[in-house]
Amino acid sequence: MPKIRDVRVTVTRVSTALLVTYLGMACMSTSDLLTVQVPNSVDAGVFDDPSNATLMVNSVIGDFECAFGSLVMGEGIATDELHDATLNNGNWNLDRRDNGFTSGFYGVNSCSTATGVYTPMSTARAEADKAIARLTAWSATQVPNRVSLLAQANLYAGFSYTALGMAMCQAAFDLGPLVDQKGMFALAEKRFSDAITAAQSAGAGLTNVMNAATLGRARVRLFLHNTAGAISDAQVIQPGFVFNANMDATNPRRFNSVFQFISTAGNMTVEPTSRALTTENNEVDPRSATVKLNTRPADVVSVIYIPAKYNAASLTAGESIPLPIARYAEAQLILAEAQGGTSAVTIINSMRAAVSLAPYTGATDAASIKTLIAGERQRVLFLEGFRGFDIERLTLPLVPAAGSPYQQGGVYGATVCLPVPDIERFSNPNVVGADIIDGVQGHFPPP
């Protein structure tokens, strides 16, 4: 298995909830970021007080939602969903899918950027697990809503592990050794199961949490090839269900990142090959429709397109558009993939009928259904954080192809999952450099 070469850290920024300098963090893992003292941050010791339990879990949710927005953008740039439209060459190695790079912005940038993946989501994960540990130790007398908070903390821990597993080839937690994607999904499954148990115990009022945890568990069970478990969970999700990361136009840290970096800043645009995605019947799919904007591109030459579902007529409306974390359409696609054959066709044609698309009438052998599912997921779940891992696990063709010229110079690589970044490697004594997977398609087996 090809491994990562020894390279030097070239990063310039690291974040927790706020920006801190890399030099201030050189000796710690991202899982230990809560110990960093930065201006205007909440002292981590505050969360040792049971009376602040609700504040603690709200902090988990806020940091996850910020991290999720940046991850959706970063994953979009790293795939055939988005193209960089800046003159910032720090983004280009991610957009170009460079082989073997470990010092890119994806490892260190904050959640208020378009490329922060590892550090923001690792911080949200660490906060969630610490919240779970505290809540488990406290009594119902100390925290009357303890079980409800446990359900929420486990839910966001589950989605944090899932997001890292989908984006990263490996990760490390709490200064521990490397964990591969299957390991991260197993950790997520445990958190989702615990969230479901706690939500059931808490009673009324947590239906949305229980449904989100059930769908999250269906997702990772599918990724772990537990099709029976995935079907069991996905089939209970009802039409109309959606679990969002809520955005806020009054708080820059909670802006809708897609709208902010595409419509407002002109820093990104939809990849040309993804601006009018079609079904096998050559019908443009409205579920992945895009809109051409008049936004001035940061690089002066790009034409700015935004997914229609993230577009709005006003700045305030656009910055407030929620980002879906899990929704009914995904549950249906999980069922289609797990069941396969004519059952998959029936599900997909029902989804198509809802948006007036012609049905699929092709072959139902395994290879044909895989192609059908991959295309449907690309369009239905467009720019929701799924594309990169779908390319990896389904071994889909890279677009543009590896070796093709990149607009800003160089050629496209074949990276399909992000390697453990230097910030983790050089701050965690339990990460062995020789064991790091390089993320290049064909260099390692899909999970």
Side-chain angles (χ1 to χ4, degrees), residues 335-347:
L335 287 172
E337 184 172 349
Q339 294 174 343
T342 57
S343 295
V345 173
T346 299
I347 291 168

Side-chain angles (χ1 to χ4, degrees), residues 55-67:
L55 174 63
M56 174 181 66
V57 173
N58 285 340
S59 176
V60 169
I61 295 171
D63 277 355
F64 173 85
E65 290 183 334
C66 186

Side-chain angles (χ1 to χ4, degrees), residues 315-340:
L315 189 65
T316 299
E319 290 172 344
S320 302
I321 297 172
L323 291 171
I325 300 170
R327 57 192 182 97
Y328 175 71
E330 181 198 354
Q332 291 298 290
L333 290 169
I334 288 172
L335 287 172
E337 184 172 349
Q339 294 174 343

